[in-house]
Amino acid sequence: MKSWLTTTDHKRIGLLYFWTAFGFFMIGGLEALIIRAQLVRPDGGLGVSAETFNQLFTMHGTTMVFLALMPLSAAFFNYIIPLQIGARDVAFPRLNAFSYWVFLLGGLFLNASFVAGPLFGADRLSVAPDAGWFGYANLTSRQFSPGPNVDFWLLGLQILGIASLAAGFNFVVTILNMRAPGMRMLRLPPFTWMTLITQFLVITAFPVITVALVLLMFDRFFGTHFFLPAGGGDPILWQHLFWMFGHPEVYILILPAMGIISEVLPTFSKKPLFGYTVVVYSGVVIAFLGWSVWSHHMFSTGLGPIADSVFAGTTMLIAIPTGVKIFNWIGTLWGGQIRFTTSLLFAVGFIAMFIIGGLSGVTHASAPSDLQQTDTYYVVAHIHYVLFGGTILGLFSGIYYWWPKMTGRFLSERMGKVHFWLTLIGMNLAFFPMHFSGLLGMPRRIYTYSADLGVARFNQLSTIGAFLIGIATLVFFWNLLRTRRRPSNAPANPWGGATLEWAISSPPPVYNFTVIPTVTSRLPLWQTERHAPMAPLPDRPPAPIHVPGGSWWPMITAFGLPIIAIGALAHLIPIVLAGAAVVIVGIYRWAYEPFEM
Amino acid sequence: MTHGSTHATSMGVDNRKMAFWAFIGSECLLFGSLIATYLVYKGRSLVGPYPHEILNIPFTSFSTFDLLMSSLAMVLALAAVQRGDMKQGKLWLFVTALLGLIFLGGQFWEFSHFVHEGLGLTTNLFGSTFYVLTGTHGAHVTVGVIWLLTLWIQALRGKLGPQNALTVEITGLYWHFVDVVWIVIFTVVYLIQ
Amino acid sequence: MLRGAVYFDAVPLVLALLLLFLTACSGQFPQSVFEPRSDFSTELAGLFTNIFWWAVGVFVIVETLLLIAIARYRARPGAAEPKPVHGHTALEIGWTLAPALILVFIAVPTMRTIFATAGQAPEGALRVEVIGHQWWWEYRYPTLNISAYNELHLPVATPIQVEMTSADVIHSFWVPRLGGKRDLIQGRTNRIAFRADSTGEYWGQCAEFCGASHANMRLRVFVQSDSAFQRWVDQERAAPATPAKGSPAEAGLQVFRRSACIGCHTIAGVAQGKIGPDLSHVGGRATIAGALFPNTSETLHRWIMNAPSLKPGALMPPQNLSPQDLDAVVAYLQSLK
Amino acid sequence: MTEQTGAHATTGTYLRIAAILVMITLIEVGVFYVPAFQSVLVPVLLVLSAVKFTLVVMFYMHLKFDNRFFAFLFGGPLLLGFAVVVSLLLIFYGAIRLRTGM
Ligand code: HEA
Ligand code: HEA
Ligand code: CUA
Ligand SMILES: [Cu+2]
């Protein structure tokens, strides 16, 4: 127990990230199921009240984006990246632990809002954030959202931002600076590359939302008018700041998944990644362009024809590097010896589904056509094809791929296939009809709709699909759980992968590599035209390897942050100060604690 | 404490230093967004006081000078620590922190003077954007001063030496960055009215 | 597994066909974007159809390639090791340029439509100001000197210049068959312009999340022939009906006068409240409360008794009226044609 | 530790840079008060402060002498931050012009 609380081992932290994020995914999914149950019929299927419904979709979006998908990717960053680059750990192991604890506490803080009502003299289920995951001003002002709901949201996101930023710096340095000898940048495995790009997006995009949230906080707590027309402010500035972060954020969510399938496809088709350099550079281009498109979320705000044209144009450009990736993946499969493992199925599913989401994205990119689509279920369809059909399928692929490495135990392939097909059918049933309900006039974020709209049938299909996904997810959950009772018999390289993580035992020893390998090719474990596979590493380290002990301070420091947030929430300065004191003491003790790598 | 000592890094630079440059890059976007907010709302205050009525250029020029000198003191401190001249090192660390404190004192005086003149945080958009931008900068200076004083105390206790040159260098990076941010703020907020 | 591969894309494919089918049929979808009835919405539908077909083309080609790849290259026992192909420059250039070319065909009409639908109506258009409130709509006709609430009346075949703003949070005005959305933002004025090409009743609703009753912020547009529109204008211009002495409506007027109503509602000559919609001609509307309920005696009763229970968050508190008073007020409101 | 590359700045350099910085600041403030300069004030000030910025970063932060990669790590986000400011100004300024133009 203590060893888990104080751990600074990237592998353990990776597992902590995984289980925590998976838990939040179930919570976010449960919220989605309630949303779907409510919408199964016109005029309210489940009798969920408008207020509760607004909390549900806000928390669903926020949870999925910040508490499920980002940290699920982070689970792989943590576990896999140091192994792939041949390192003993990340650059800053304690900072890494800190990121995890901050993430966990931030997530708990956000979700505590569901039950915190009584503390504010309100009912349970009444003070959770309820202004949507992008919290448009001026609905979020004290005047229109008087309760603590939006405070929970903005403080929670601030906390989570700290976790992401800390992890961002950590992984930038880890990937750039901790590579094994010979691991040149263009020999990095594609997953590591996409992670690096993602982290650059994190450290540049998160400061912007930090500022936006600070300004919002000043509006709400101190009576400024940053986003309030009454004092000359402009609610549109919020939208610019949010989407300047928000659009890079969606690539933060997809790039790691793209990296994962760029590992899975070569392994299971026994062919190197087609066009490796192009795939890498297209990732860079996507990230770069990703910074220039944010206003495509604001076509209906009246930006004027010139800005509309510019942002429509830049948005469409992103289809090119993305398409390049897709074609290279198909090129990888082409001519290979494809083994249809669950992992591969999910990877192929990713490609198939992401194309649909990407293409509906292009219909959004056309500003005038988006005027009929924005804020309807058509957008909801888009986001779920890219986020579920893309990111989640990609992450599932990664889980089936790396689970034996992470635990030494195989997931059942039989159940995996059930999981895959149920998920694929479920998601199409859930999200494809949303294209229709949207274009037929169903706005998003409505807890009820009129039977006369004629969209009831589509909503029924969506609901059935959502519950199919739910069942699929339960199958998967069961599959995960039962591996604990299965033998720990996974060999070092069960799938015949080419990258360094497969050179060591499953699960790897604490110190990872008995000796740090020297890398001479992009596919160190494979026989290629010019390179023989790497010689196996010795079974035992030639000299004892010193592994740093754990540390309490990352966790203790992390605890200061929610304390500060609680103080702010309750308008109690002493609590804020107490939290700040915890942070400061934590940082000092941390800085002066002996800690050897 | 660092990896540099145990195992050579891929880029030949210390992890902490690289992390710090990344952090400073990230800070560029933090201040960029704040400055953008300030500029977007320029001239949109509904009521006074307006910038030209209240900003005190001679006084702020002095503050700017003060910060520039603190940057000089900082490089001198680093050079001394690298040489192993801890006497000079202590001196310049202290001078840097002191100049930082003077800057903060100036900012405190400036803020209270403005409040006295009728410009509060919520008076108008100018007040809000001004205080949040310069206040965020001031918070950075505060952190820097605390950090410098910590190093100084370490030095007094004889626990800081050339082996910690890197720590001092990183402190310096932070400190200089806070200085260049002020260079921008001085121009954008004070001189271009 | 081969069979599996074929099923892979069957679900979306079948559903896509359904979409084509849907665009063809009409009638049951009052908020469908596929039945444009104005120049604005026709432009948008045309643009969407254009892009849609490009997307279908890309979809079919790319998914087919994917299916062929997984169907043809499944591992067979004893097969030779695959050739380790690392890439192919000509292919890379090809599949960079091909999408770029397609995008040109999407971008050009997009830009054209952006400028064609930029919201500037020709000279002499009828100006309408739309003001969003939590959760109802106010329409002003500055040149006609009248206002309307929740239900917008427009003359057919006349250019309309809509200018929009909000009294509180951001809303979005959306009548799919007449045009795309545009947001209503406090402190800003946004514009759209269109010309409805056939008379009829068009449905719409608020499309930007605006709080508790966002789902219930609906609206109607009645596009009328010139003469019908003129009749409606005349009716709105007239002073509200004065009920006959001794009629139930007369009693209702008295109740209205002495109740909280006057604090929030305007009835010309009776009250000047500004918080809720003007009720001077409420009896002439087909619906009440943001086009949520038909304007019947029964719904009026329930609304006045407890509006928030019908429309969560509604800013009209429950009115504590005796049954007789309530009957009277409803009679009065219904007399206000 | 291997990170020090290239020549190293000396105390003399530091002092000279400081002198230049102070001089530029004096010029800035001077320009501000000279009425003749009002028309070109903004570009002059922007250029001058950019020079100061660069001097501090290059010499005091040793970017000129240090690993070139740091220039990328700092310069990339710096340019991005700059782009953020410029594009927001364009969007908002453009919007104001459109609105008042109509
Ligand atoms: C994983 C996350 C992710 C990804 C990858 C994307 C990818 C894209 N998105 Fe999406 N988007 C979201 C997540 C994502 N989006 C979310 C969450 C929202 C809603 C936020 C909210 O409002 O709550 C949103 C909303 C959103 C909007 C605003 C809609 C609105 O609210 O009105 C727009 C508008 O342009 C858009 C466009 C695009 C485009 C053009 C891409 C492109 O990157 C797609 C590129 C891919 C392809 C095009 C397919 C493959 C390419 C080929 C096979 C080549 C050939 C293709 C052509 C020639 C076309 N997205
Ligand atoms: C980031 C990723 C992500 C993911 C993975 C999902 C997953 C799902 N989403 Fe999500 N969604 C968003 C991101 C995501 N969503 C965002 C950003 C929004 C916008 C929010 C906003 O407007 O502010 C949104 C909005 C949104 C809406 C629109 C709400 C509205 O506008 O009113 C709907 C409606 O159907 C929906 C449905 C679903 C469903 C059914 C799933 C399913 O895939 C979920 C599957 C998971 C499970 C089902 C959980 C697993 C199982 C259990 C918990 C056990 C219990 C199960 C049984 C007993 C069967 N989502
Ligand atoms: Cu008004 Cu939604
Ligand atoms: Cu986007």
Side-chain angles (χ1 to χ4, degrees), chain A residues 486-498:
Chain A
R486 302 189 83 198
S488 178
N489 60 356
N493 192 356
W495 316 116

Side-chain angles (χ1 to χ4, degrees), chain A residues 205 208 239-248 290-291 294, chain D residues 84 87-88:
Chain A
V208 184
Q239 298 194 13
H240 281 294
L241 292 176
F242 184 88
W243 292 118
M244 262 179 185
F245 149 80
H247 191 85
W291 261 97
W294 74 88
Chain D
V84 162
S87 46
L88 275 182

Side-chain angles (χ1 to χ4, degrees), chain B residues 1-149:
Chain B
M1 196 186 284
T2 71
H3 298 284
S5 46
T6 50
H7 122 89
T9 59
S10 329
M11 319 261 318
V13 295
D14 181 83
N15 280 340
R16 286 192 299 157
K17 196 163 157 191
M18 183 189 277
F20 226 80
W21 274 106
F23 170 70
I24 289 176
S26 176
E27 291 270 281
C28 287
L29 278 126
L30 186 94
F31 282 104
S33 317
L34 284 169
I35 291 171
T37 306
Y38 179 84
L39 288 176
V40 162
Y41 283 157
K42 210 173 160 70
R44 287 177 51 154
S45 294
L46 302 179
V47 296
Y50 302 101
H52 63 273
E53 300 169 0
I54 197 162
L55 294 177
N56 182 339
I57 302 302
F59 174 77
T60 318
S61 306
F62 170 76
S63 291
T64 308
F65 171 75
D66 171 90
L67 264 196
L68 286 176
M69 288 306 104
S70 80
S71 261
L72 175 64
M74 187 70 233
V75 275
L76 294 179
L78 173 60
V81 173
Q82 278 170 344
R83 280 197 312 270
D85 180 351
M86 286 319 292
K87 234 180 97 193
Q88 291 256 326
K90 267 183 274 190
L91 172 70
W92 290 118
L93 275 178
F94 182 72
V95 171
T96 314
L98 188 69
L99 289 169
L101 275 174
I102 293 176
F103 178 88
L104 285 176
Q107 194 170 43
F108 183 76
W109 179 83
E110 185 193 32
F111 280 17
S112 38
H113 176 69
F114 284 0
V115 170
H116 188 74
E117 298 271 295
L119 184 75
L121 173 66
T122 59
T123 309
N124 57 17
L125 276 181
F126 168 59
S128 309
T129 51
F130 172 83
Y131 284 119
V132 170
L133 173 56
T134 55
T136 306
H137 178 264
H140 278 74
V141 177
T142 312
V143 171
V145 167
I146 295 172
W147 192 349
L148 285 164
L149 288 177

